[in-house]
Amino acid sequence: MTPTASVPDSVFTPDPLVTVAEVEAFVADVGLLDLDESRIVADRDVATARLEDACGVAFTEREAVEIATGEDGFALLSRPRVIEVLKVDNVAAVSGPYLDGRIPLEDGEHSVLYRHAWEATPLPIKRAVLLLTRHYLTIDPTDFDERATSKANEVASWTLVTPGVRGAIFPIPEVNQIVSDYAYATDVV
């Protein structure tokens, strides 16, 4: 059983994983002071979206609508960690949670509105959002090609974490480890 294509998340606006004040405090140590709040919000939201995409799960509550196909009394929704099914075929239906995204549903195609996410955001996920946001806010101080895989100078040489190389998704090793720890495992291809 595979989930059918879904429509994008609804207009429901989720709470941010970290606040602007938390970002400001986190980036102060690298000299990023007096940043424009709109830039912080934009980069924080990009960091959150990229992290959630990499993990395949929402860490702050969202609503989604999708067409699901029931087979043998169940359907598999495309998003895991279903908190609550709100409507099935535009009829109120309150049930849940279904952590694996598999919900009881009569056979056939149905429109399903549901809320999904972790119940509480894990602290490592918040740290990953802060690290990524700081990375996006920082002006690239490097003097080498961004495609480089290593760097050497008269003092030392080191290997760079390049996204796409050896499975790295992000250029920050700690964030890649957090993604590995919190990625939603699925057998859906």
Side-chain angles (χ1 to χ4, degrees), residues 112-156:
V112 180
L113 169 66
Y114 61 99
R115 293 183 309 116
H116 63 98
W118 278 68
E119 288 181 30
T121 305
L123 289 177
I125 294 299
K126 288 184 177 219
R127 177 160 172 79
V129 170
L130 289 169
L131 288 166
L132 283 173
T133 303
R134 179 175 66 190
H135 174 72
Y136 297 149
L137 289 169
T138 305
I139 296 171
D140 187 9
T142 61
D143 62 350
F144 53 91
D145 189 325
E146 64 186 24
R147 296 169 295 169
T149 58
S150 62
K151 175 76 173 155
N153 63 21
E154 61 280 351
V155 177

Side-chain angles (χ1 to χ4, degrees), residues 21-33:
E22 288 173 311
V23 172
E24 288 173 334
F26 192 74
V27 301
D29 66 329
V30 292
L32 292 173
L33 304 171

